[in-house]
Amino acid sequence: MSDPIIYGRAITRQFILGDDVVRALDGVDITVQTGEFLGITGSSGSGKSTLLYVLSGMDRPSSGEIWVQGKNIALLDENELASYRRQDVGFVFQGFNLISSMTAQQNVELPMIFAGVPARERQKRAQALLDQVGLAHRFAHKPGQMSGGQQQRVAIARALVNNPPIIFADEPTGNLDSKSGLDVMQVLQGLHAQGRTVLLVSHDAAVIAFASRVMRLKDGKVVEEGEKMKDEG
């Protein structure tokens, strides 16, 4: 077996709340193979979103190792970490995080501006990605003119613009109705079928069922892991 694309050991993340120290992550070990679709689940406060944030470089662990594609991102400086987030990962947020004054195409193009991609190439790539997620007819629409499911598909297209090998999705269907949520999960499933590594956080069993392997967290610790999970309720 080849080296894992993500390898983490003894990951902790703690926060100071008044006089209390809260351990959102408490010694988590994780291994993700290239091209895997990993679902991370657990009840509210289990640490699942915190884990996604430290693996993606959106937050730093308090201690532990996080190796992604052979580099320990826990040791990167701010510039190196920004480069990692820009080149190696795409992040899909629950709340879409689109800029309301920009069109779908402009939202998708935005990360490419920071990456120094020429304007003509930005336009070509953004339109191709919007077409890929089924929004070829929505290039010029702003977020307020689109449904929640359409906005999330714009967000997925934006996460793909720099062709990252890893996609992180934090509760990507949390603000959507069941039909729109299914549409979004089918897009993520299609990306996985194309060979991308996908890490998905959700509390929804129907969403987690799309993953090929599942990890369950509780109180910042991994309590269960495997291809099939028993029901939590």
Side-chain angles (χ1 to χ4, degrees):
M1 183 180 291
S2 60
D3 290 338
I5 193 168
I6 297 174
Y7 175 85
R9 284 293 172 266
I11 302 168
T12 70
R13 181 65 173 103
Q14 60 186 36
F15 300 92
I16 307 298
L17 295 177
D19 295 330
D20 297 325
V21 176
V22 177
R23 283 210 163 195
L25 297 174
D26 190 5
V28 171
D29 295 342
I30 184 170
T31 301
V32 183
Q33 299 299 330
T34 299
E36 191 171 11
F37 193 150
L38 176 66
I40 303 170
T41 192
S43 59
S44 178
S46 63
K48 57 188 186 295
S49 290
T50 302
L51 179 59
L52 208 67
Y53 270 64
V54 298
L55 294 176
S56 65
M58 302 284 285
D59 190 16
R60 288 188 180 272
S62 300
S63 62
E65 301 177 28
I66 302 174
W67 294 84
V68 183
Q69 300 194 109
K71 56 191 171 192
N72 188 354
I73 68 167
L75 300 181
L76 300 181
D77 64 28
E78 289 303 321
N79 288 334
E80 292 168 334
L81 198 61
S83 178
Y84 164 74
R85 289 193 301 264
R86 186 168 58 246
Q87 298 174 3
D88 295 87
V89 306
F91 203 101
V92 181
F93 300 88
Q94 178 178 348
F96 319 142
N97 283 19
L98 301 178
I99 297 176
S100 61
S101 61
M102 289 184 170
T103 64
Q105 180 175 319
Q106 289 168 336
N107 269 283
V108 174
E109 285 187 29
L110 192 57
M112 291 185 282
I113 294 174
F114 295 111
V117 178
R120 185 170 296 180
E121 176 62 20
R122 292 200 307 266
Q123 180 181 12
K124 180 180 176 182
R125 201 184 301 178
Q127 291 182 356
L129 286 166
L130 286 167
D131 186 31
Q132 182 180 338
V133 299
L135 293 176
H137 60 304
R138 295 287 189 173
F139 292 168
H141 287 70
K142 294 181 179 179
Q145 298 171 304
M146 293 182 284
S147 69
Q150 289 169 337
Q151 290 182 63
Q152 191 62 293
R153 281 185 279 158
V154 172
I156 292 172
R158 181 185 57 192
L160 295 172
V161 291
N162 290 323
N163 198 30
I166 309 168
I167 299 295
F168 294 95
D170 186 17
E171 298 279 7
T173 66
N175 288 340
L176 306 177
D177 60 55
S178 58
K179 169 65 169 61
S180 297
L182 178 61
D183 290 344
V184 165
M185 289 311 303
Q186 287 173 338
V187 171
L188 290 173
Q189 189 177 49
L191 295 173
H192 172 241
Q194 294 169 13
R196 292 184 197 267
T197 304
V198 179
L199 280 75
L200 165 79
V201 159
S202 181
H203 67 280
D204 187 334
V207 170
I208 286 293
F210 280 84
S212 53
R213 182 166 65 90
V214 182
M215 170 186 289
R216 174 169 285 143
L217 271 63
K218 183 177 182 180
D219 298 330
K221 297 177 181 289
V222 178
V223 294
E224 191 178 2
E225 199 170 352
E227 292 184 6
K228 299 291 182 182
M229 296 276 103
K230 55 183 183 237
D231 215 358
E232 201 173 32

